[in-house]
Amino acid sequence: MPGYPSTVNPLVPPGVYAPQEDTELLAGALFDEPLPPGAEVLDVGTGTGALALEAARQGFRVTAVDVSRRAVWAARLNAVRARLPVRIRHGNLFDPVRGESFDLILANPPYVPAPDGARRPRGAARAWDAGDDGRLVVDRICREAPELLRPGGVLLLVQSALSGPDLTVGQLRSSGLKAAVTCRRRIAFGPVLRGRERWLRERGLLPPAEDKEELVVVRAELPV
């Protein structure tokens, strides 16, 4: 991950989302975020726990959540291997931490538009499929994250430009947060996008000549 080496490469069992460019982009934003020692960090959709472990390496108190039992098992195993204290919970997004508050929330949700978006994704696809507009989980984060932030707390969310980052910024601002896109990166299409490239172009989500996907980090801060 950029800016600092990971001391342990996470184990990635079958069915668990492997750290990729979006993980790296969000890790860079985490590294640049000025937080006091011992700050409380929440990593939702933790997958292998890669981001949670990076936060723990920086001395923060970290809670990680994932809806996948396999991911929870992987994150716990990776935390043990790295000898880092991370509280890891199984549950749907913010459900396991209701009533708590955090200085920083990290979110790498599913954000890829899906042709069968009316169906709830199952299995490994829960890590990337996010409804017909890619906002199935992003919209929920925009609604629910502000109530878990402490004054001055920050949400860092990574998503694709295909799933409307301007909408994300607008929703977070409507909740009283100061929000903006702070990081961008263009990457080659991965296997999921290559498999639905034609559908994305037919829907007008992907311009005819575009051959890369843009990832962005949205930063939103709750005023003091």
Side-chain angles (χ1 to χ4, degrees):
M1 294 182 184
Y4 45 93
S6 295
T7 56
V8 176
N9 291 323
L11 292 175
V12 186
V16 177
Y17 185 76
Q20 299 182 41
E21 287 93 340
D22 51 2
T23 314
E24 292 183 356
L25 191 63
L26 194 54
L30 164 65
F31 188 67
D32 291 338
E33 193 63 37
L35 290 173
E40 295 275 359
V41 175
L42 173 64
D43 178 26
V44 290
T46 195
T48 63
L51 287 167
L53 296 181
E54 292 297 345
R57 285 188 186 99
Q58 296 182 47
F60 306 136
R61 299 173 62 185
V62 184
T63 299
V65 175
D66 205 291
V67 72
S68 163
R69 291 189 183 277
R70 240 179 233 202
V72 168
W73 173 83
R76 286 176 176 162
L77 180 59
N78 284 320
V80 170
R81 291 177 70 236
R83 299 182 180 181
L84 289 169
V86 179
R87 183 178 66 144
I88 301 167
R89 297 289 181 264
H90 173 256
N92 192 342
L93 210 61
F94 301 115
D95 289 348
V97 293
R98 296 292 179 196
E100 301 183 41
S101 62
F102 299 89
D103 300 293
L104 178 69
I105 297 175
L106 300 167
N108 184 359
Y111 50 68
V112 180
D116 54 352
R119 294 183 183 180
R120 287 274 173 176
R122 299 175 61 85
R126 289 184 298 181
W128 55 80
D129 281 355
D132 58 4
D133 59 359
R135 299 191 59 83
L136 183 66
V137 181
V138 172
D139 283 340
R140 184 177 164 193
I141 291 172
C142 291
R143 290 193 304 270
E144 299 181 17
E147 67 184 30
L148 277 79
L149 288 174
R150 296 171 178 171
V154 170
L155 166 69
L156 294 174
L157 179 148
V158 64
Q159 68 175 94
S160 171
L162 298 174
S163 51
D166 288 344
L167 289 175
T168 301
V169 169
Q171 288 179 12
L172 292 167
R173 287 177 177 173
S174 295
S175 296
L177 277 65
K178 297 184 289 186
V181 171
T182 54
C183 305
R184 299 178 183 270
R185 180 184 296 181
R186 286 168 55 80
I187 64 169
F189 293 158
V192 175
L193 253 62
R194 287 198 302 270
R196 58 191 64 168
E197 181 178 348
R198 179 175 177 179
W199 176 80
L200 290 167
R201 295 192 195 282
E202 288 174 350
R203 286 207 61 204
L205 294 173
L206 192 62
E210 184 59 76
D211 62 353
K212 291 187 182 298
E213 179 186 16
E214 184 178 48
L215 302 176
V216 306
V217 172
V218 175
R219 183 187 186 276
E221 181 176 349
L222 182 65
V224 177

